[in-house]
Amino acid sequence: MQMESLYQEIILDHYKHPHGRGLRDPFGAEVHHVNPTCGDEITLRVQLGGTDAEAKVEDVSYDGQGCSISQASASVLYELLVGKTVGEALAVSEEFRTLMQGRGKVEPDEDVLEDAVAFAGVAKYPARVKCALLSWMAFKDATAQAVGAETGGTP
Amino acid sequence: MQMESLYQEIILDHYKHPHGRGLRDPFGAEVHHVNPTCGDEITLRVQLGGTDAEAKVEDVSYDGQGCSISQASASVLYELLVGKTVGEALAVSEEFRTLMQGRGKVEPDEDVLEDAVAFAGVAKYPARVKCALLSWMAFKDATAQAVGAETGGTP
Amino acid sequence: MTATAARPSALDVEAIRADFPILSRTVRDGRKLVYLDSGATSQKPRQVLDAEREFYEQHNAAVHRGAHQLAEEATDLYEGARATVAAFIGAQFDEIVFTKNATEGINLVAYSLGNAATAGPEAARFAVGPGDEIVVTEMEHHANLLPWQQLCQRTGATLRWFGLTDDGRLDLSDVDSVITGRAKVVALTHQSNALGTINPLEVISARAHAVGALVVLDACQSVPHMPVDVMSTGADFVAFSGHKMLGPTGVGVLWGRRELLAAMPPFLTGGSMIEVVRMEGSTFAPPPMRFEAGVPNIAQAVGLGAAVDYLDAVGMEKVHAHERALTAYALDGLATVDGLRIIGPPTNEARGGAVSFTVDGIHPHDVGQVLDDLGVAVRVGHHCAWPVMRRYAVPATTRATFYLYNSTDDIDALVAGVEQAKRFFS
Amino acid sequence: MTATAARPSALDVEAIRADFPILSRTVRDGRKLVYLDSGATSQKPRQVLDAEREFYEQHNAAVHRGAHQLAEEATDLYEGARATVAAFIGAQFDEIVFTKNATEGINLVAYSLGNAATAGPEAARFAVGPGDEIVVTEMEHHANLLPWQQLCQRTGATLRWFGLTDDGRLDLSDVDSVITGRAKVVALTHQSNALGTINPLEVISARAHAVGALVVLDACQSVPHMPVDVMSTGADFVAFSGHKMLGPTGVGVLWGRRELLAAMPPFLTGGSMIEVVRMEGSTFAPPPMRFEAGVPNIAQAVGLGAAVDYLDAVGMEKVHAHERALTAYALDGLATVDGLRIIGPPTNEARGGAVSFTVDGIHPHDVGQVLDDLGVAVRVGHHCAWPVMRRYAVPATTRATFYLYNSTDDIDALVAGVEQAKRFFS
Ligand SMILES: Cc1ncc(COP(=O)(O)O)c(C=O)c1O
Ligand SMILES: Cc1ncc(COP(=O)(O)O)c(C=O)c1O
């Protein structure tokens, strides 16, 4: 089965045992994203330690419904991004997006992506790329809002 | 040239020397018909000697612009219908319509249609059938209006 | 599974399949293609492709416009297709409007009604405004829901709807309070693409007509699959798509009662739908031309005519019987899978060959992926009927749909594939 | 006629003709077909027909919907065609909306603006109402006139227009008083299908933008015939049809500036154009999906992509040069016919290959009929530009239009045919 390139062991593990799942307080911003083709949804919160690129991502919490790919992807995101600076986290996000949209022709950088390299096979299934990206897009959006909200709040 | 089956000598004669052309008084009804595909137009008046099927078609007068087929057809209509009873005239019109819409498969009845049999070839050119029918449709419409107007006007 | 179920009908499926080139291709790792997604779009027989190609290679011209021979031939073929489609659904020739898909057909009706308010006295009876109601159902495809939501938004009318019962039927317990005297339109689907349900039209159209409302029928999933005579549906308008009935993409049909089409204002405007045009204002041609602005989808209409000829030659009664048998076989087969839940009528009563289901603990997307890997093409998601998913509290379903070229082997592959997905994700 | 005119360009017309199966058929009494009606619709090369057929035989599925392999392939081909079309006109991928024809594209813009009044605050800037003005020209095709007349009728806005000069040009003597501060839209054609005139876009779009009006360009007769870079037209929207540029019937293109499409309300609503759907109301996908409701004309878009590839391979500069040479040759040839009057620019200055004319004493329908009998296919009538006929006080014209597969032989046949018509009706 070609399918094993899609459903890597790591993905199935994260799917069955998601990390960081559940919505938590405190949070700087919360967003709700939907995949209009399949109806999958995610609610995602971020808590940052400040407003600049050097600020820490203190927590990412999430809930929602979705397929194994989207669920595992949120779990990996949690593992990877919490504890990084905002700048680093967005850089990893960007690398992940490039991998996903690369149609299987982009070589993943394991140093940057760690467990997320397991998603390399998803890039060959265009219909699933959106599943893998759902939480990452939500993270980017929430982070922008959190930074904006806090910056806006500074006198 | 196949075209000679379309442009019968009689048609060209009527086209070059139209009979009854020009708008005249008195008239019981006037209509204006247009062929939307080519922009050809006819204004046509009828004067009837009464309101029932036995009433005479006393005059048909017309003006407008159009191709040889539509002009000749109006001229032949004038020749054929003026002097007939309304009932007879409508019967001839119906016969003519059947011939025109018969796609070249209807045998024309020369006793009824006289000169109008020359249009038999037009039926093989669907785009021209509307040209040939323009004045006939106008006649039918005007006659219905003339009968209706006079009937309506009777106390 | 009984012996009769295994040989579902008199259809010679092997002979039919030979007409569909795509059915002999393989997918993924050289798997035989098992196409169970005809509810989304059907495959096309050689005869349809040949008709389109012959049109382009021999007769292509703009219709209704030229005085030259190609234009005559193209017009004859296009209008011939109209006559073919009309006969197929028991309609008059000039009641058939070619659209680009069913979606456009339904939008046409909604926009024409919306335009009626400013289109002069003749059209006033069609006008929709505040206080008026538009009635739909909770099982509508987005194509028969959003145009009405939008019409309400534009005009201030109110949208109302029939809810659904737990077993996938319309809740008709209180028809008269859903369709009130304020209803102007009742729009519903003949067969649900998400649930498979076939709706009882008589009770709804009787009530609709009693209060003077127009009935708009979405026949996307019925006309391709069973004999439909528009006059006996009780509907005033019927819309369907060519691509779901062996025809090309890019063509649909709207049927409307002659006297309604004749009085309604136009929707799309432009060339070929006019009577007289002046800078100051224009008048319009009678239907069907009034509703076909611009150079139409000529080759596609011709292709659809060929598709109808193909279906006619097979016989719609037989197509329907074949699909009923396949559906029974599928319901039986899927019932053997532990943890599988049918979303929609669980029995073969008043239902067509769209079978939606969920599998405990596995997301439909993942079920679909495993099936795809095995060569079995199904659809996953909300099937453009998102409110149905909400109603049954599922994120999405996996849906298999059948057509004349499917056999019980295809369904065996489906059932085996679902079992495999369960093993994979257990 | 000079030697250069007889060999008009570097195009290998014979090789090109060999790609168009229909050009080797005969008409009427075994006459060679001389096709001079490409302005109505063009013929299709084998490459386009093959692309469509291959789509159906190998990849047919509903796009954007399935998780199976065919659906992936179909989506790739469809979106690939979008990218091809975008590159062809210098646009961004997501600025290309596939429509069924140019007529739908223009109606889309007109209806979207009409919907803006009730579509919430973001859309309010597009709303049109009493006091607003829509500006067109007297040379518009009905497709770029009626949608605006209708928008005015629905919203209470006022239609204004540029008149024409005696030699077939826009009368631009008073641009500022035609396009006033009340103008919301200026809609005009790039090249007139009835006159051949190519309009100077800069002066009009500069004024339009100065007063904050949107510019809608009808490029039906320009994009197929010359290199067009949408960004340098100054237009905000550009519409054209696939069937006039070697593509299939049933597909057109609307290009719109990204920021405009992103803010405009939808037109047709239904499947695939949504974000979230609830019975109570729905939200919409970003463009281009927002404007493509329902299963689209997939195979036709793929065919159009192949047509663009074909034109690209020939080179639009060469196509244009070839047509300019043919037009010069035709204007020279027709000038030799006594009693023939060109309706439109008499010289080859800022003009394309649509040559309309009348012949003294012979109705255009009769000229067309004689030509048809000789195998020469032209168009007669008002060419869906009825106001142009009124402006020049003619009932109709005979029109010859040229494309890359035409040669000077075709024009010789045209001129000889007109002479024959004169003899016949003298
Ligand atoms: C200038 C112009 N505009 C608009 C149209 C309409 O195109 P369509 O009928 O393909 O929508 C045409 C052709 O018919 C045209 O020549
Ligand atoms: C029930 C139903 N209605 C409407 C539609 C819309 O059809 P189309 O997308 O061809 O316009 C579909 C199919 O997608 C359908 O299944």
Side-chain angles (χ1 to χ4, degrees):
Chain A
M1 291 216 290
Q2 294 187 319
M3 204 176 61
E4 263 110 39
S5 77
L6 173 66
Y7 292 119
Q8 300 273 321
E9 211 45 50
I10 301 182
I11 294 183
L12 292 177
D13 272 355
H14 276 278
Y15 171 49
K16 290 174 194 164
H17 311 287
H19 303 196
R21 190 179 170 99
L23 295 172
R24 288 178 295 277
D25 289 315
F27 62 95
E30 175 182 298
V31 299
H32 182 75
H33 276 214
V34 173
N35 181 342
T37 32
C38 61
D40 285 355
E41 307 184 23
I42 191 166
T43 304
L44 182 144
R45 297 173 173 180
V46 292
Q47 172 67 2
L48 308 180
T51 62
D52 61 9
E54 295 311 308
K56 270 256 177 65
V57 177
E58 295 181 346
D59 194 18
V60 178
S61 67
Y62 62 93
D63 207 354
Q65 63 187 16
C67 62
S68 57
I69 303 293
S70 77
Q71 297 291 301
S73 174
S75 171
V76 167
L77 177 150
Y78 171 84
E79 280 293 292
L80 235 67
L81 303 191
V82 172
K84 289 212 165 46
T85 66
V86 168
E88 289 163 353
L90 292 176
V92 175
S93 295
E94 192 50 32
E95 183 81 17
F96 187 68
R97 199 184 57 74
T98 306
L99 175 65
M100 285 300 95
Q101 293 176 345
R103 310 223 116 204
K105 284 173 195 117
V106 172
E107 230 4 274
D109 182 341
E110 193 156 355
D111 290 343
V112 178
L113 290 176
E114 304 176 39
D115 266 14
V117 295
F119 289 85
V122 176
K124 277 179 254 149
Y125 293 83
R128 305 308 294 277
V129 168
K130 280 191 183 165
C131 310
L133 285 177
L134 184 65
S135 53
W136 296 77
M137 293 301 180
F139 172 77
K140 202 174 149 189
D141 188 8
T143 302
Q145 286 187 28
V147 169
E150 292 178 35
T151 318
T154 311
Chain B
M1 291 216 294
Q2 294 189 320
M3 204 177 60
E4 264 109 38
S5 77
L6 174 65
Y7 292 119
Q8 299 273 320
E9 212 43 52
I10 299 183
I11 294 183
L12 292 177
D13 272 355
H14 275 278
Y15 171 50
K16 290 174 192 163
H17 311 288
H19 303 195
R21 192 181 169 98
L23 295 172
R24 288 179 295 276
D25 288 317
F27 61 95
E30 176 183 297
V31 298
H32 181 76
H33 276 214
V34 174
N35 181 341
T37 33
C38 62
D40 286 354
E41 306 184 24
I42 191 166
T43 303
L44 182 144
R45 297 174 173 179
V46 292
Q47 172 65 3
L48 308 181
T51 63
D52 61 8
E54 294 312 309
K56 270 258 177 65
V57 177
E58 294 181 347
D59 194 17
V60 177
S61 67
Y62 63 93
D63 207 354
Q65 62 187 17
C67 62
S68 57
I69 303 294
S70 78
Q71 298 292 301
S73 173
S75 171
V76 168
L77 177 150
Y78 170 83
E79 278 294 293
L80 233 68
L81 303 191
V82 172
K84 290 210 164 47
T85 67
V86 167
E88 288 163 353
L90 291 177
V92 175
S93 296
E94 194 48 32
E95 183 82 17
F96 187 69
R97 200 184 56 76
T98 306
L99 175 64
M100 285 299 96
Q101 294 177 344
R103 310 222 117 207
K105 284 176 194 112
V106 171
E107 232 0 278
D109 182 340
E110 194 156 354
D111 289 343
V112 178
L113 289 177
E114 303 177 39
D115 267 12
V117 296
F119 289 85
V122 176
K124 276 179 255 148
Y125 293 83
R128 306 308 295 276
V129 168
K130 279 192 184 165
C131 310
L133 285 177
L134 185 64
S135 54
W136 296 77
M137 291 303 179
F139 171 77
K140 202 174 148 190
D141 188 7
T143 302
Q145 285 187 27
V147 169
E150 291 179 34
T151 319
T154 311
Chain C
M1 301 174 208
T2 62
T4 36
R7 265 189 303 281
S9 77
L11 277 199
D12 183 349
V13 175
E14 277 317 304
I16 287 172
R17 291 177 67 87
D19 288 330
F20 291 76
I22 203 170
L23 296 182
S24 50
R25 76 161 271 184
T26 59
V27 288
R28 300 300 176 204
D29 272 333
R31 299 273 181 175
K32 174 172 172 288
L33 170 65
V34 176
Y35 190 73
L36 296 176
D37 197 18
S38 296
T41 201
S42 71
Q43 297 303 339
K44 327 298 175 196
R46 209 179 305 281
Q47 289 82 344
V48 168
L49 307 185
D50 289 347
E52 269 210 89
R53 184 145 194 149
E54 186 181 320
F55 173 81
Y56 285 128
E57 291 193 346
Q58 296 295 329
H59 315 289
N60 177 63
V63 294
H64 303 147
R65 294 190 175 190
H68 55 78
Q69 188 181 347
L70 294 184
E72 281 174 12
E73 292 174 3
T75 305
D76 279 355
L77 287 163
Y78 180 67
E79 296 301 335
R82 195 190 306 279
T84 301
V85 170
F88 187 63
I89 58 170
Q92 301 295 312
F93 173 80
D94 55 1
E95 294 176 329
I96 299 296
V97 176
F98 284 121
T99 59
K100 71 172 175 176
N101 52 23
T103 302
E104 185 198 337
I106 297 167
N107 276 271
L108 188 165
V109 179
Y111 272 106
S112 177
L113 301 185
N115 291 346
T118 54
E122 217 203 327
R125 61 191 260 227
F126 295 107
V128 173
D132 291 334
E133 294 177 353
I134 309 284
V135 180
V136 298
T137 86
E138 205 177 355
M139 68 166 73
E140 294 314 309
H141 187 281
H142 296 165
N144 202 26
L145 171 60
L146 275 82
W148 306 115
Q149 288 183 337
Q150 291 290 301
L151 178 63
C152 289
Q153 178 161 336
R154 290 198 299 277
T155 61
T158 303
L159 191 75
R160 306 198 56 179
W161 56 89
F162 287 100
L164 306 183
T165 66
D166 287 345
D167 62 347
R169 304 281 172 191
L170 289 183
D171 177 356
L172 298 176
S173 57
D174 212 356
V175 173
D176 292 4
S177 76
V178 179
I179 304 176
T180 74
R182 289 182 295 277
K184 295 283 282 192
V185 176
V186 178
L188 83 163
T189 191
H190 200 171
Q191 178 183 318
S192 160
N193 69 309
L195 299 167
T197 322
I198 295 177
N199 287 322
L201 302 181
E202 316 68 39
V203 43
I204 292 180
S205 56
R207 171 66 183 166
H209 288 142
V211 302
L214 296 170
V215 176
V216 179
L217 189 67
D218 175 352
C220 278
Q221 298 290 344
S222 58
V223 165
H225 301 288
M226 60 177 90
V228 172
D229 175 73
V230 289
M231 295 307 287
S232 55
T233 60
D236 298 295
F237 300 96
V238 172
F240 52 97
S241 278
H243 68 89
K244 293 188 203 273
M245 53 190 287
L246 313 185
T249 58
V251 62
V253 173
L254 176 72
W255 168 83
R257 285 188 197 274
R258 178 186 272 156
E259 63 277 17
L260 295 172
L261 290 179
M264 282 162 58
F267 165 46
L268 298 177
T269 56
S272 299
M273 52 73 71
I274 56 98
E275 186 186 52
V276 175
V277 175
R278 297 197 158 75
M279 292 307 291
E280 296 77 15
S282 306
T283 55
F284 308 111
M289 305 273 285
R290 183 185 304 166
F291 299 102
E292 294 181 359
V295 171
N297 35 13
I298 314 169
Q300 292 73 41
V302 170
L304 177 55
V308 166
D309 286 340
Y310 189 94
L311 288 170
D312 257 339
V314 175
M316 286 308 293
E317 287 290 359
K318 281 194 188 167
V319 170
H320 186 49
H322 177 68
E323 289 185 38
R324 278 190 61 75
L326 287 179
T327 307
Y329 187 85
L331 289 171
D332 284 354
L334 291 169
T336 66
V337 180
D338 223 46
L340 185 146
R341 171 184 166 209
I342 299 286
I343 307 294
T347 70
N348 208 13
E349 206 65 13
R351 128 192 269 302
V355 180
S356 262
F357 58 87
T358 58
V359 183
D360 276 357
I362 317 182
H363 190 279
H365 234 140
D366 292 317
V367 175
Q369 197 77 52
V370 174
L371 289 172
D372 172 48
D373 207 58
L374 298 168
V376 181
V378 297
R379 198 170 155 203
V380 299
H382 49 57
H383 316 296
C384 298
W386 206 328
V388 170
M389 303 301 125
R390 291 216 179 75
R391 168 63 181 83
Y392 296 105
V394 294
T397 72
T398 302
R399 182 190 74 178
T401 47
F402 315 127
Y403 213 176
L404 73 173
Y405 39 62
N406 289 119
S407 70
T408 51
D409 289 353
D410 297 340
I411 291 167
D412 291 341
L414 169 71
V415 174
V418 175
E419 291 287 9
Q420 173 122 349
K422 282 181 59 182
R423 279 193 299 276
F424 190 85
F425 286 99
S426 67
Chain D
M1 301 174 206
T2 63
T4 38
R7 265 189 305 280
S9 77
L11 275 199
D12 183 350
V13 176
E14 277 318 304
I16 286 172
R17 290 178 68 87
D19 288 330
F20 291 76
I22 204 171
L23 296 181
S24 51
R25 75 161 270 185
T26 59
V27 288
R28 301 301 175 203
D29 273 333
R31 300 274 181 173
K32 174 172 172 287
L33 171 66
V34 175
Y35 189 74
L36 296 176
D37 197 18
S38 297
T41 200
S42 71
Q43 297 304 340
K44 326 298 175 199
R46 209 180 304 282
Q47 288 83 342
V48 168
L49 307 185
D50 288 347
E52 268 209 270
R53 183 144 194 151
E54 186 182 320
F55 173 81
Y56 285 127
E57 291 192 347
Q58 294 295 328
H59 315 290
N60 178 63
V63 293
H64 304 145
R65 293 190 176 191
H68 55 77
Q69 187 181 347
L70 294 184
E72 281 175 13
E73 291 173 5
T75 305
D76 280 355
L77 287 163
Y78 180 67
E79 296 301 335
R82 196 191 305 278
T84 301
V85 169
F88 187 63
I89 58 170
Q92 301 297 310
F93 173 80
D94 56 0
E95 294 175 329
I96 299 295
V97 176
F98 285 121
T99 60
K100 73 171 174 177
N101 53 21
T103 302
E104 185 197 338
I106 297 167
N107 275 272
L108 187 166
V109 179
Y111 271 106
S112 177
L113 300 186
N115 291 347
T118 54
E122 219 205 326
R125 60 192 259 229
F126 295 107
V128 172
D132 291 333
E133 294 177 352
I134 309 283
V135 180
V136 297
T137 87
E138 205 177 355
M139 68 166 74
E140 293 315 308
H141 187 281
H142 296 165
N144 201 27
L145 170 60
L146 274 83
W148 306 114
Q149 287 182 338
Q150 291 290 301
L151 178 62
C152 288
Q153 177 161 337
R154 289 197 299 277
T155 61
T158 302
L159 191 75
R160 307 198 55 179
W161 56 88
F162 286 100
L164 306 182
T165 66
D166 287 345
D167 62 347
R169 305 280 174 193
L170 289 183
D171 178 356
L172 298 176
S173 57
D174 213 356
V175 174
D176 293 3
S177 75
V178 179
I179 304 176
T180 74
R182 289 183 295 277
K184 294 282 282 190
V185 176
V186 177
L188 83 164
T189 191
H190 199 173
Q191 177 182 318
S192 160
N193 70 309
L195 299 168
T197 321
I198 295 177
N199 287 322
L201 302 181
E202 317 69 37
V203 42
I204 293 180
S205 56
R207 171 66 183 166
H209 288 143
V211 302
L214 296 171
V215 176
V216 179
L217 189 68
D218 175 352
C220 278
Q221 299 290 344
S222 57
V223 164
H225 300 288
M226 59 177 92
V228 173
D229 175 73
V230 288
M231 294 307 287
S232 55
T233 60
D236 298 296
F237 299 96
V238 172
F240 52 97
S241 278
H243 68 89
K244 294 188 202 270
M245 52 191 285
L246 313 185
T249 57
V251 62
V253 173
L254 177 72
W255 168 83
R257 286 188 195 273
R258 177 187 272 155
E259 64 276 18
L260 295 172
L261 290 179
M264 283 161 57
F267 165 47
L268 299 176
T269 56
S272 298
M273 53 73 70
I274 57 98
E275 186 185 52
V276 175
V277 176
R278 296 197 160 76
M279 292 307 291
E280 297 76 16
S282 306
T283 55
F284 309 110
M289 304 273 283
R290 183 184 305 164
F291 300 102
E292 294 181 358
V295 171
N297 36 14
I298 315 169
Q300 292 73 42
V302 170
L304 177 56
V308 166
D309 286 341
Y310 189 94
L311 288 170
D312 256 339
V314 175
M316 286 307 294
E317 287 291 358
K318 281 194 187 166
V319 169
H320 186 48
H322 177 69
E323 289 185 39
R324 278 191 61 76
L326 287 178
T327 306
Y329 187 87
L331 289 170
D332 284 355
L334 292 169
T336 66
V337 179
D338 224 47
L340 185 146
R341 170 185 166 207
I342 299 286
I343 308 294
T347 69
N348 208 15
E349 206 64 13
R351 131 192 268 303
V355 180
S356 262
F357 59 87
T358 58
V359 182
D360 277 357
I362 318 182
H363 190 278
H365 233 141
D366 292 317
V367 175
Q369 196 76 54
V370 174
L371 289 172
D372 173 47
D373 206 58
L374 298 168
V376 182
V378 296
R379 198 171 156 202
V380 298
H382 50 58
H383 316 296
C384 298
W386 205 328
V388 169
M389 304 300 124
R390 292 217 177 75
R391 168 63 182 80
Y392 297 105
V394 294
T397 73
T398 303
R399 182 191 74 177
T401 47
F402 316 127
Y403 213 176
L404 72 173
Y405 39 63
N406 290 120
S407 69
T408 51
D409 291 352
D410 296 340
I411 291 167
D412 292 341
L414 169 71
V415 175
V418 175
E419 292 288 9
Q420 173 120 348
K422 283 181 60 183
R423 281 193 298 277
F424 189 84
F425 284 100
S426 69

